Amino acid sequence: PVSDDSQTKIGISESDLIIFLAANVPLICDGGALSAARSCQADQYDRPTVGSAVVCLDQLDVNDVDSKDMFVRVIIHEFAHVLGMRSLDLAYFYDPLTGKPRTKRPFEESTVTCVDGNK
């Protein structure tokens, strides 16, 4: 969802990260989830530049302080996913000492042997 067609054609000036936020998306919320989020675009250094988050407001009791506090924690958690804190994104992290990607590029598929001997 965009509020202006120019957002998808020329972008949003003076911004480093854009987060699209939606509420009560049936595909996410009907299964009982509180929320979901992910990054969906990155810059040349693999930093997230666009992400999306869904919050299931029907799961929130606005009259209950504990419910509201929990929801704040959930939103913070989901924004961490937008910022790249998902196991899928770990391959894109950089070494702070060398400034180089921690994972060799281009990615190469390989088979590894686990500590229990399984491949």
Side-chain angles (χ1 to χ4, degrees):
V2 293
S3 57
D4 184 329
D5 193 43
S6 69
Q7 292 175 353
T8 58
K9 291 184 171 58
I10 60 173
I12 299 173
S13 65
E14 302 297 319
S15 61
D16 295 320
L17 176 64
I18 299 162
I19 301 174
F20 292 98
L21 184 62
N24 297 331
V25 174
L27 183 66
I28 304 296
C29 301
D30 285 355
L34 295 175
S35 59
R38 62 175 295 227
S39 58
C40 49
Q41 182 176 311
D43 67 8
Q44 70 272 27
Y45 301 107
D46 299 319
R47 295 178 297 205
T49 56
V50 179
S52 64
V54 173
V55 292
C56 303
L57 298 176
D58 291 342
Q59 303 287 343
L60 171 66
D61 179 356
V62 295
N63 297 314
D64 180 47
V65 173
D66 290 335
S67 179
K68 288 192 284 188
D69 288 345
M70 186 258 323
F71 227 76
V72 168
R73 290 191 303 273
V74 167
I75 296 297
I76 292 168
H77 172 95
E78 295 305 334
F79 276 32
H81 288 313
V82 170
L83 291 169
M85 300 305 292
R86 301 180 307 155
S87 60
L88 179 68
D89 295 321
L90 295 178
Y92 298 98
F93 279 31
Y94 279 63
D95 185 315
L97 299 177
T98 66
K100 297 189 184 299
R102 291 182 181 266
T103 305
K104 191 174 168 183
R105 311 292 167 86
F107 296 130
E108 296 176 11
E109 194 171 321
S110 63
T111 302
V112 297
T113 304
C114 296
V115 293
D116 66 0
N118 288 324
K119 292 194 181 214

Short mmCIF file of all heavy atoms in Angstrom, two decimals, residues 1 20-36 52-59:
data_model
loop_
_atom_site.label_atom_id
_atom_site.label_comp_id
_atom_site.label_asym_id
_atom_site.label_seq_id
_atom_site.Cartn_x
_atom_site.Cartn_y
_atom_site.Cartn_z
N PRO A 1 0.83 -1.20 0.00
CA PRO A 1 0.00 0.00 0.00
C PRO A 1 0.87 1.25 0.00
O PRO A 1 1.83 1.35 0.75
CB PRO A 1 -0.79 -0.11 1.29
CG PRO A 1 -0.02 -1.04 2.15
CD PRO A 1 0.75 -1.92 1.24
N PHE A 20 6.22 0.22 5.64
CA PHE A 20 4.79 0.19 5.35
C PHE A 20 4.11 -0.59 6.46
O PHE A 20 4.49 -1.72 6.75
CB PHE A 20 4.52 -0.44 3.98
CG PHE A 20 5.02 0.40 2.84
CD1 PHE A 20 6.23 0.15 2.25
CD2 PHE A 20 4.26 1.47 2.38
CE1 PHE A 20 6.70 0.93 1.20
CE2 PHE A 20 4.71 2.26 1.33
CZ PHE A 20 5.94 2.00 0.75
N LEU A 21 3.13 0.01 7.07
CA LEU A 21 2.44 -0.59 8.21
C LEU A 21 0.99 -0.86 7.83
O LEU A 21 0.31 0.03 7.31
CB LEU A 21 2.52 0.35 9.42
CG LEU A 21 1.95 -0.14 10.72
CD1 LEU A 21 2.68 -1.38 11.21
CD2 LEU A 21 2.04 0.96 11.77
N ALA A 22 0.56 -2.07 8.07
CA ALA A 22 -0.84 -2.45 7.79
C ALA A 22 -1.42 -3.09 9.05
O ALA A 22 -0.69 -3.57 9.91
CB ALA A 22 -0.90 -3.42 6.62
N ALA A 23 -2.73 -3.07 9.13
CA ALA A 23 -3.40 -3.65 10.30
C ALA A 23 -4.43 -4.67 9.87
O ALA A 23 -5.07 -4.52 8.83
CB ALA A 23 -4.06 -2.55 11.12
N ASN A 24 -4.56 -5.71 10.69
CA ASN A 24 -5.61 -6.72 10.53
C ASN A 24 -5.65 -7.35 9.15
O ASN A 24 -6.71 -7.47 8.53
CB ASN A 24 -6.98 -6.13 10.90
CG ASN A 24 -7.04 -5.71 12.35
OD1 ASN A 24 -6.36 -6.27 13.20
ND2 ASN A 24 -7.84 -4.71 12.65
N VAL A 25 -4.50 -7.76 8.65
CA VAL A 25 -4.43 -8.46 7.37
C VAL A 25 -4.84 -9.91 7.61
O VAL A 25 -4.18 -10.62 8.38
CB VAL A 25 -3.01 -8.39 6.78
CG1 VAL A 25 -2.89 -9.23 5.54
CG2 VAL A 25 -2.62 -6.94 6.51
N PRO A 26 -5.92 -10.37 6.99
CA PRO A 26 -6.45 -11.70 7.29
C PRO A 26 -5.43 -12.84 7.16
O PRO A 26 -5.41 -13.74 8.00
CB PRO A 26 -7.60 -11.87 6.29
CG PRO A 26 -8.03 -10.48 5.99
CD PRO A 26 -6.78 -9.64 6.04
N LEU A 27 -4.59 -12.80 6.14
CA LEU A 27 -3.61 -13.86 5.93
C LEU A 27 -2.70 -14.03 7.15
O LEU A 27 -2.30 -15.14 7.49
CB LEU A 27 -2.77 -13.55 4.69
CG LEU A 27 -1.74 -14.60 4.30
CD1 LEU A 27 -2.43 -15.90 3.87
CD2 LEU A 27 -0.87 -14.08 3.17
N ILE A 28 -2.40 -12.94 7.83
CA ILE A 28 -1.54 -12.98 9.02
C ILE A 28 -2.37 -13.17 10.28
O ILE A 28 -2.09 -14.02 11.12
CB ILE A 28 -0.72 -11.67 9.14
CG1 ILE A 28 0.10 -11.38 7.88
CG2 ILE A 28 0.14 -11.68 10.39
CD1 ILE A 28 1.17 -12.37 7.57
N CYS A 29 -3.39 -12.36 10.44
CA CYS A 29 -4.11 -12.25 11.70
C CYS A 29 -5.13 -13.35 11.96
O CYS A 29 -5.40 -13.68 13.12
CB CYS A 29 -4.79 -10.89 11.79
SG CYS A 29 -3.62 -9.52 11.67
N ASP A 30 -5.70 -13.93 10.92
CA ASP A 30 -6.73 -14.95 11.13
C ASP A 30 -6.20 -16.21 11.78
O ASP A 30 -6.96 -16.97 12.36
CB ASP A 30 -7.43 -15.29 9.81
CG ASP A 30 -8.39 -14.20 9.37
OD1 ASP A 30 -8.59 -13.23 10.13
OD2 ASP A 30 -8.93 -14.30 8.25
N GLY A 31 -4.89 -16.41 11.72
CA GLY A 31 -4.29 -17.58 12.37
C GLY A 31 -3.96 -17.35 13.83
O GLY A 31 -3.37 -18.20 14.48
N GLY A 32 -4.28 -16.16 14.33
CA GLY A 32 -4.03 -15.87 15.74
C GLY A 32 -2.74 -15.12 16.01
O GLY A 32 -2.39 -14.89 17.17
N ALA A 33 -2.00 -14.74 14.97
CA ALA A 33 -0.75 -14.01 15.17
C ALA A 33 -1.03 -12.62 15.72
O ALA A 33 -2.09 -12.05 15.51
CB ALA A 33 0.02 -13.90 13.85
N LEU A 34 -0.05 -12.08 16.43
CA LEU A 34 -0.15 -10.71 16.91
C LEU A 34 0.38 -9.73 15.86
O LEU A 34 -0.08 -8.60 15.76
CB LEU A 34 0.65 -10.52 18.20
CG LEU A 34 0.17 -11.29 19.42
CD1 LEU A 34 1.16 -11.10 20.56
CD2 LEU A 34 -1.21 -10.81 19.80
N SER A 35 1.38 -10.20 15.08
CA SER A 35 2.01 -9.32 14.10
C SER A 35 2.99 -10.11 13.25
O SER A 35 3.28 -11.27 13.52
CB SER A 35 2.75 -8.18 14.81
OG SER A 35 3.73 -8.73 15.68
N ALA A 36 3.51 -9.44 12.23
CA ALA A 36 4.55 -10.02 11.37
C ALA A 36 5.27 -8.88 10.68
O ALA A 36 4.69 -7.81 10.47
CB ALA A 36 3.93 -10.95 10.33
N SER A 52 8.07 -4.01 5.70
CA SER A 52 6.63 -3.98 5.94
C SER A 52 6.33 -4.66 7.27
O SER A 52 7.05 -5.57 7.68
CB SER A 52 5.87 -4.67 4.81
OG SER A 52 6.20 -6.04 4.77
N ALA A 53 5.30 -4.17 7.92
CA ALA A 53 4.88 -4.75 9.19
C ALA A 53 3.35 -4.81 9.21
O ALA A 53 2.68 -3.94 8.68
CB ALA A 53 5.38 -3.93 10.37
N VAL A 54 2.84 -5.87 9.80
CA VAL A 54 1.40 -6.05 9.98
C VAL A 54 1.15 -6.20 11.47
O VAL A 54 1.84 -6.98 12.14
CB VAL A 54 0.89 -7.31 9.24
CG1 VAL A 54 -0.57 -7.57 9.57
CG2 VAL A 54 1.10 -7.18 7.74
N VAL A 55 0.21 -5.45 11.98
CA VAL A 55 -0.20 -5.62 13.38
C VAL A 55 -1.65 -6.05 13.40
O VAL A 55 -2.47 -5.59 12.62
CB VAL A 55 0.00 -4.33 14.20
CG1 VAL A 55 1.48 -4.03 14.36
CG2 VAL A 55 -0.70 -3.15 13.58
N CYS A 56 -1.95 -6.96 14.29
CA CYS A 56 -3.31 -7.51 14.40
C CYS A 56 -3.99 -6.81 15.57
O CYS A 56 -3.96 -7.30 16.71
CB CYS A 56 -3.24 -9.02 14.58
SG CYS A 56 -2.34 -9.83 13.23
N LEU A 57 -4.59 -5.69 15.28
CA LEU A 57 -5.19 -4.85 16.32
C LEU A 57 -6.36 -5.53 17.02
O LEU A 57 -6.68 -5.18 18.16
CB LEU A 57 -5.62 -3.52 15.73
CG LEU A 57 -4.48 -2.67 15.15
CD1 LEU A 57 -5.04 -1.42 14.50
CD2 LEU A 57 -3.47 -2.32 16.22
N ASP A 58 -6.98 -6.48 16.37
CA ASP A 58 -8.10 -7.19 17.00
C ASP A 58 -7.62 -8.02 18.20
O ASP A 58 -8.43 -8.42 19.03
CB ASP A 58 -8.81 -8.10 15.99
CG ASP A 58 -9.58 -7.30 14.95
OD1 ASP A 58 -9.84 -6.10 15.18
OD2 ASP A 58 -9.91 -7.87 13.90
N GLN A 59 -6.32 -8.26 18.29
CA GLN A 59 -5.76 -9.00 19.41
C GLN A 59 -5.46 -8.10 20.61
O GLN A 59 -5.04 -8.56 21.65
CB GLN A 59 -4.45 -9.69 18.98
CG GLN A 59 -4.57 -10.61 17.81
CD GLN A 59 -5.28 -11.90 18.16
OE1 GLN A 59 -5.40 -12.27 19.33
NE2 GLN A 59 -5.75 -12.61 17.15
#
